[in-house]
Amino acid sequence: MNGVADTSLSPSVSSANASDSEAGIVTGISALTATVFAQVAKAGNTFVSGCEFDSSGHCVIHNHDRQSSPASRTVDNGGGAQQNDVNGMAQPDRSQDGGNAEGAGNNAQMELSVEGEALLKSVEELRLSPYDDQTGQNISTWVRGATIGYGHLISKSEWPIYKNGITADQADALFAADVAPFVDSVNEAISVSLLQNQFDAAVMLAYNIGISGFSSSSAVSLINDPQTSTPYSNLESAWKAWNRSQGSVNQGLVNRRKAEWDVYSNATYEKW
């Protein structure tokens, strides 16, 4: 699937409901087109809580939403609310560069490559029937974490659309609608030049941890300025810190972070 709060809460998965008027734009899966998929994907925000961990072992909570752009999020750090933003970022340490793709300027709008899309789809795995993201089991009624296609989280109001499953072509259309905001969010959050493989890896990370989680992460801070102060010694450590689900280290996430890092650091597009 698709300031800092100092807390001991375990990560969890939840879905926010879309409005009835927006979610009701279609009455069945047969009516879905790429345009409708895009509308449905924007009908509501999906929230996923996740953790980085600071040097004291405390969970750093981010609110992950699938919005069209990485908005600043307000979190409580124990002393009042503060805003996370992604402005004012410096130039990168080019020793982090990898691969041989042509770099793009920080004002250029990059796109996910064919190789990046193929790997992300492979990692997400195609499921044409709804399933529980936490267990991997098919479901016949909506649950938090209900998922379909290539990691699309199903909000409760979307359930009537997806409950009977989708086709492979519909899954492709849904993926295209889902991934577009994450491509935009990486373009907005990263203020320095990236190679294509680095951009692809960043989109893959954002797609998994959410737009707000990505935009306010230590990984983004270190991409933009390797000298910035974070709880991590380097970018690789910050990247791979996103490895927990339900409060525990998850091997699937460990594998996923390694695959993303291999793409970022040496342009190796391989699933584990």
Side-chain angles (χ1 to χ4, degrees):
M1 184 188 66
N2 100 50
V4 181
D6 185 2
T7 175
S8 59
L9 291 177
S10 299
S12 60
V13 177
S14 62
S15 298
N17 295 342
S19 68
D20 292 339
S21 59
E22 291 176 307
I25 56 179
V26 293
T27 58
I29 195 67
S30 61
L32 291 175
T33 64
T35 300
V36 172
F37 269 123
Q39 292 174 316
V40 172
K42 295 176 182 177
N45 296 333
T46 300
F47 295 90
V48 183
S49 297
C51 289
E52 288 182 351
F53 289 85
D54 64 19
S55 58
S56 301
H58 296 299
C59 178
V60 176
I61 295 293
H62 300 283
N63 289 326
H64 306 163
D65 60 8
R66 297 192 171 186
Q67 296 178 355
S68 59
S69 61
S72 297
R73 307 301 298 171
T74 303
V75 295
D76 186 356
N77 65 358
Q82 60 185 27
Q83 292 290 329
N84 300 322
D85 63 46
V86 295
N87 297 322
M89 297 178 177
Q91 293 298 309
D93 176 355
R94 301 315 298 174
S95 65
Q96 294 288 345
D97 285 354
N100 54 14
E102 181 180 355
N106 59 345
N107 292 322
Q109 291 297 302
M110 298 185 71
E111 298 293 338
L112 184 65
S113 72
V114 172
E115 294 83 2
E117 178 178 330
L119 180 57
L120 181 52
K121 284 183 171 181
S122 174
V123 169
E124 289 292 341
E125 299 184 349
L126 177 60
R127 299 284 294 269
L128 299 179
S129 297
Y131 67 98
D132 184 344
D133 183 65
Q134 294 301 302
T135 66
Q137 300 299 310
N138 286 354
I139 54 177
S140 57
T141 58
W142 183 84
V143 297
R144 294 182 183 276
T147 308
I148 200 168
Y150 294 103
H152 176 80
L153 283 169
I154 306 171
S155 68
K156 191 171 185 179
S157 58
E158 289 179 315
W159 179 251
I161 299 172
Y162 300 115
K163 65 180 182 179
N164 294 321
I166 58 177
T167 67
D169 286 345
Q170 290 165 337
D172 284 338
L174 184 56
F175 175 81
D178 278 351
V179 79
F182 296 97
V183 171
D184 291 343
S185 74
V186 174
N187 276 308
E188 293 187 32
I190 303 301
S191 62
V192 298
S193 297
L194 292 180
L195 301 178
Q196 183 63 58
N197 57 292
Q198 294 173 326
F199 183 83
D200 289 346
V203 171
M204 293 174 67
L205 178 63
Y207 192 80
N208 186 233
I209 70 176
I211 288 174
S212 292
F214 175 79
S215 301
S216 61
S217 70
S218 296
V220 165
S221 297
L222 288 165
I223 290 171
N224 286 308
D225 179 7
Q227 305 306 315
T228 195
S229 177
T230 76
Y232 306 99
S233 59
N234 53 42
L235 174 57
E236 181 177 2
S237 297
W239 195 294
K240 293 182 176 179
W242 292 91
N243 64 359
R244 291 179 177 251
S245 177
Q246 303 292 315
S248 301
V249 173
N250 179 282
Q251 188 59 47
L253 293 179
V254 171
N255 295 339
R256 186 167 184 149
R257 297 292 88 84
K258 181 182 183 302
E260 293 162 356
W261 183 251
D262 285 346
V263 174
Y264 187 92
S265 61
N266 57 34
T268 299
Y269 290 78
E270 292 180 0
K271 187 180 176 181
W272 55 95

PDB file of all heavy atoms in Angstrom, residues 16-36:
ATOM      1  N   ALA A  16     -10.288   7.270   5.601  1.00  0.00           N
ATOM      2  CA  ALA A  16     -11.265   8.321   5.827  1.00  0.00           C
ATOM      3  C   ALA A  16     -12.317   8.247   4.740  1.00  0.00           C
ATOM      4  O   ALA A  16     -12.008   8.039   3.578  1.00  0.00           O
ATOM      5  CB  ALA A  16     -10.573   9.687   5.806  1.00  0.00           C
ATOM      6  N   ASN A  17     -13.558   8.410   5.137  1.00  0.00           N
ATOM      7  CA  ASN A  17     -14.651   8.256   4.187  1.00  0.00           C
ATOM      8  C   ASN A  17     -14.747   9.436   3.252  1.00  0.00           C
ATOM      9  O   ASN A  17     -14.565  10.579   3.641  1.00  0.00           O
ATOM     10  CB  ASN A  17     -15.984   8.120   4.939  1.00  0.00           C
ATOM     11  CG  ASN A  17     -16.025   6.864   5.762  1.00  0.00           C
ATOM     12  OD1 ASN A  17     -15.241   5.946   5.541  1.00  0.00           O
ATOM     13  ND2 ASN A  17     -16.930   6.827   6.715  1.00  0.00           N
ATOM     14  N   ALA A  18     -15.073   9.158   2.012  1.00  0.00           N
ATOM     15  CA  ALA A  18     -15.378  10.214   1.054  1.00  0.00           C
ATOM     16  C   ALA A  18     -16.808  10.665   1.289  1.00  0.00           C
ATOM     17  O   ALA A  18     -17.608   9.977   1.891  1.00  0.00           O
ATOM     18  CB  ALA A  18     -15.221   9.684  -0.370  1.00  0.00           C
ATOM     19  N   SER A  19     -17.116  11.856   0.778  1.00  0.00           N
ATOM     20  CA  SER A  19     -18.485  12.328   0.895  1.00  0.00           C
ATOM     21  C   SER A  19     -19.388  11.470   0.030  1.00  0.00           C
ATOM     22  O   SER A  19     -18.980  10.960  -1.007  1.00  0.00           O
ATOM     23  CB  SER A  19     -18.572  13.793   0.456  1.00  0.00           C
ATOM     24  OG  SER A  19     -18.333  13.891  -0.920  1.00  0.00           O
ATOM     25  N   ASP A  20     -20.657  11.321   0.440  1.00  0.00           N
ATOM     26  CA  ASP A  20     -21.594  10.497  -0.313  1.00  0.00           C
ATOM     27  C   ASP A  20     -21.786  11.023  -1.724  1.00  0.00           C
ATOM     28  O   ASP A  20     -21.895  10.252  -2.673  1.00  0.00           O
ATOM     29  CB  ASP A  20     -22.946  10.440   0.405  1.00  0.00           C
ATOM     30  CG  ASP A  20     -22.857   9.674   1.715  1.00  0.00           C
ATOM     31  OD1 ASP A  20     -21.904   8.879   1.864  1.00  0.00           O
ATOM     32  OD2 ASP A  20     -23.738   9.876   2.560  1.00  0.00           O
ATOM     33  N   SER A  21     -21.809  12.340  -1.873  1.00  0.00           N
ATOM     34  CA  SER A  21     -22.073  12.900  -3.193  1.00  0.00           C
ATOM     35  C   SER A  21     -20.931  12.605  -4.142  1.00  0.00           C
ATOM     36  O   SER A  21     -21.143  12.331  -5.318  1.00  0.00           O
ATOM     37  CB  SER A  21     -22.281  14.415  -3.096  1.00  0.00           C
ATOM     38  OG  SER A  21     -21.135  15.036  -2.547  1.00  0.00           O
ATOM     39  N   GLU A  22     -19.686  12.666  -3.649  1.00  0.00           N
ATOM     40  CA  GLU A  22     -18.556  12.418  -4.524  1.00  0.00           C
ATOM     41  C   GLU A  22     -18.401  10.935  -4.801  1.00  0.00           C
ATOM     42  O   GLU A  22     -18.108  10.524  -5.918  1.00  0.00           O
ATOM     43  CB  GLU A  22     -17.273  12.956  -3.888  1.00  0.00           C
ATOM     44  CG  GLU A  22     -17.231  14.472  -3.828  1.00  0.00           C
ATOM     45  CD  GLU A  22     -16.005  14.967  -3.108  1.00  0.00           C
ATOM     46  OE1 GLU A  22     -15.770  14.517  -1.979  1.00  0.00           O
ATOM     47  OE2 GLU A  22     -15.299  15.801  -3.686  1.00  0.00           O
ATOM     48  N   ALA A  23     -18.565  10.120  -3.758  1.00  0.00           N
ATOM     49  CA  ALA A  23     -18.364   8.686  -3.925  1.00  0.00           C
ATOM     50  C   ALA A  23     -19.459   8.077  -4.776  1.00  0.00           C
ATOM     51  O   ALA A  23     -19.293   6.988  -5.314  1.00  0.00           O
ATOM     52  CB  ALA A  23     -18.319   7.995  -2.564  1.00  0.00           C
ATOM     53  N   GLY A  24     -20.589   8.761  -4.935  1.00  0.00           N
ATOM     54  CA  GLY A  24     -21.706   8.201  -5.664  1.00  0.00           C
ATOM     55  C   GLY A  24     -21.716   8.535  -7.135  1.00  0.00           C
ATOM     56  O   GLY A  24     -22.753   8.464  -7.776  1.00  0.00           O
ATOM     57  N   ILE A  25     -20.547   8.879  -7.693  1.00  0.00           N
ATOM     58  CA  ILE A  25     -20.523   9.281  -9.094  1.00  0.00           C
ATOM     59  C   ILE A  25     -20.721   8.116 -10.038  1.00  0.00           C
ATOM     60  O   ILE A  25     -20.981   8.305 -11.214  1.00  0.00           O
ATOM     61  CB  ILE A  25     -19.217  10.017  -9.432  1.00  0.00           C
ATOM     62  CG1 ILE A  25     -18.004   9.137  -9.080  1.00  0.00           C
ATOM     63  CG2 ILE A  25     -19.153  11.334  -8.724  1.00  0.00           C
ATOM     64  CD1 ILE A  25     -16.687   9.804  -9.402  1.00  0.00           C
ATOM     65  N   VAL A  26     -20.540   6.873  -9.557  1.00  0.00           N
ATOM     66  CA  VAL A  26     -20.827   5.709 -10.373  1.00  0.00           C
ATOM     67  C   VAL A  26     -21.625   4.731  -9.542  1.00  0.00           C
ATOM     68  O   VAL A  26     -21.606   4.774  -8.324  1.00  0.00           O
ATOM     69  CB  VAL A  26     -19.534   5.031 -10.879  1.00  0.00           C
ATOM     70  CG1 VAL A  26     -18.798   5.910 -11.860  1.00  0.00           C
ATOM     71  CG2 VAL A  26     -18.635   4.650  -9.720  1.00  0.00           C
ATOM     72  N   THR A  27     -22.314   3.834 -10.205  1.00  0.00           N
ATOM     73  CA  THR A  27     -23.138   2.875  -9.479  1.00  0.00           C
ATOM     74  C   THR A  27     -22.625   1.462  -9.566  1.00  0.00           C
ATOM     75  O   THR A  27     -23.143   0.573  -8.933  1.00  0.00           O
ATOM     76  CB  THR A  27     -24.580   2.907 -10.039  1.00  0.00           C
ATOM     77  OG1 THR A  27     -24.525   2.606 -11.435  1.00  0.00           O
ATOM     78  CG2 THR A  27     -25.209   4.263  -9.811  1.00  0.00           C
ATOM     79  N   GLY A  28     -21.598   1.207 -10.374  1.00  0.00           N
ATOM     80  CA  GLY A  28     -21.057  -0.139 -10.496  1.00  0.00           C
ATOM     81  C   GLY A  28     -19.721  -0.123 -11.179  1.00  0.00           C
ATOM     82  O   GLY A  28     -19.352   0.847 -11.841  1.00  0.00           O
ATOM     83  N   ILE A  29     -18.958  -1.198 -11.035  1.00  0.00           N
ATOM     84  CA  ILE A  29     -17.614  -1.255 -11.592  1.00  0.00           C
ATOM     85  C   ILE A  29     -17.613  -1.182 -13.100  1.00  0.00           C
ATOM     86  O   ILE A  29     -16.691  -0.677 -13.720  1.00  0.00           O
ATOM     87  CB  ILE A  29     -16.906  -2.534 -11.112  1.00  0.00           C
ATOM     88  CG1 ILE A  29     -15.398  -2.430 -11.372  1.00  0.00           C
ATOM     89  CG2 ILE A  29     -17.486  -3.775 -11.745  1.00  0.00           C
ATOM     90  CD1 ILE A  29     -14.719  -1.386 -10.553  1.00  0.00           C
ATOM     91  N   SER A  30     -18.677  -1.643 -13.744  1.00  0.00           N
ATOM     92  CA  SER A  30     -18.719  -1.639 -15.207  1.00  0.00           C
ATOM     93  C   SER A  30     -18.752  -0.227 -15.768  1.00  0.00           C
ATOM     94  O   SER A  30     -18.425  -0.012 -16.929  1.00  0.00           O
ATOM     95  CB  SER A  30     -19.938  -2.412 -15.702  1.00  0.00           C
ATOM     96  OG  SER A  30     -21.129  -1.809 -15.227  1.00  0.00           O
ATOM     97  N   ALA A  31     -19.148   0.740 -14.942  1.00  0.00           N
ATOM     98  CA  ALA A  31     -19.237   2.121 -15.410  1.00  0.00           C
ATOM     99  C   ALA A  31     -17.912   2.862 -15.315  1.00  0.00           C
ATOM    100  O   ALA A  31     -17.802   3.991 -15.767  1.00  0.00           O
ATOM    101  CB  ALA A  31     -20.296   2.880 -14.598  1.00  0.00           C
ATOM    102  N   LEU A  32     -16.908   2.230 -14.740  1.00  0.00           N
ATOM    103  CA  LEU A  32     -15.672   2.940 -14.475  1.00  0.00           C
ATOM    104  C   LEU A  32     -14.839   3.129 -15.742  1.00  0.00           C
ATOM    105  O   LEU A  32     -14.640   2.221 -16.523  1.00  0.00           O
ATOM    106  CB  LEU A  32     -14.836   2.187 -13.444  1.00  0.00           C
ATOM    107  CG  LEU A  32     -15.430   2.170 -12.031  1.00  0.00           C
ATOM    108  CD1 LEU A  32     -14.585   1.304 -11.123  1.00  0.00           C
ATOM    109  CD2 LEU A  32     -15.514   3.577 -11.472  1.00  0.00           C
ATOM    110  N   THR A  33     -14.330   4.336 -15.908  1.00  0.00           N
ATOM    111  CA  THR A  33     -13.371   4.659 -16.960  1.00  0.00           C
ATOM    112  C   THR A  33     -12.162   5.256 -16.278  1.00  0.00           C
ATOM    113  O   THR A  33     -12.171   5.483 -15.070  1.00  0.00           O
ATOM    114  CB  THR A  33     -13.960   5.688 -17.941  1.00  0.00           C
ATOM    115  OG1 THR A  33     -14.183   6.909 -17.226  1.00  0.00           O
ATOM    116  CG2 THR A  33     -15.261   5.204 -18.554  1.00  0.00           C
ATOM    117  N   ALA A  34     -11.105   5.544 -17.028  1.00  0.00           N
ATOM    118  CA  ALA A  34      -9.924   6.167 -16.424  1.00  0.00           C
ATOM    119  C   ALA A  34     -10.279   7.491 -15.772  1.00  0.00           C
ATOM    120  O   ALA A  34      -9.784   7.834 -14.699  1.00  0.00           O
ATOM    121  CB  ALA A  34      -8.841   6.362 -17.488  1.00  0.00           C
ATOM    122  N   THR A  35     -11.176   8.262 -16.423  1.00  0.00           N
ATOM    123  CA  THR A  35     -11.580   9.550 -15.855  1.00  0.00           C
ATOM    124  C   THR A  35     -12.330   9.356 -14.548  1.00  0.00           C
ATOM    125  O   THR A  35     -12.098  10.053 -13.564  1.00  0.00           O
ATOM    126  CB  THR A  35     -12.466  10.317 -16.847  1.00  0.00           C
ATOM    127  OG1 THR A  35     -11.717  10.546 -18.043  1.00  0.00           O
ATOM    128  CG2 THR A  35     -12.918  11.640 -16.256  1.00  0.00           C
ATOM    129  N   VAL A  36     -13.253   8.398 -14.547  1.00  0.00           N
ATOM    130  CA  VAL A  36     -14.014   8.134 -13.329  1.00  0.00           C
ATOM    131  C   VAL A  36     -13.104   7.633 -12.223  1.00  0.00           C
ATOM    132  O   VAL A  36     -13.234   8.022 -11.067  1.00  0.00           O
ATOM    133  CB  VAL A  36     -15.136   7.116 -13.613  1.00  0.00           C
ATOM    134  CG1 VAL A  36     -15.799   6.678 -12.306  1.00  0.00           C
ATOM    135  CG2 VAL A  36     -16.176   7.731 -14.532  1.00  0.00           C
TER     136      VAL A  36
END
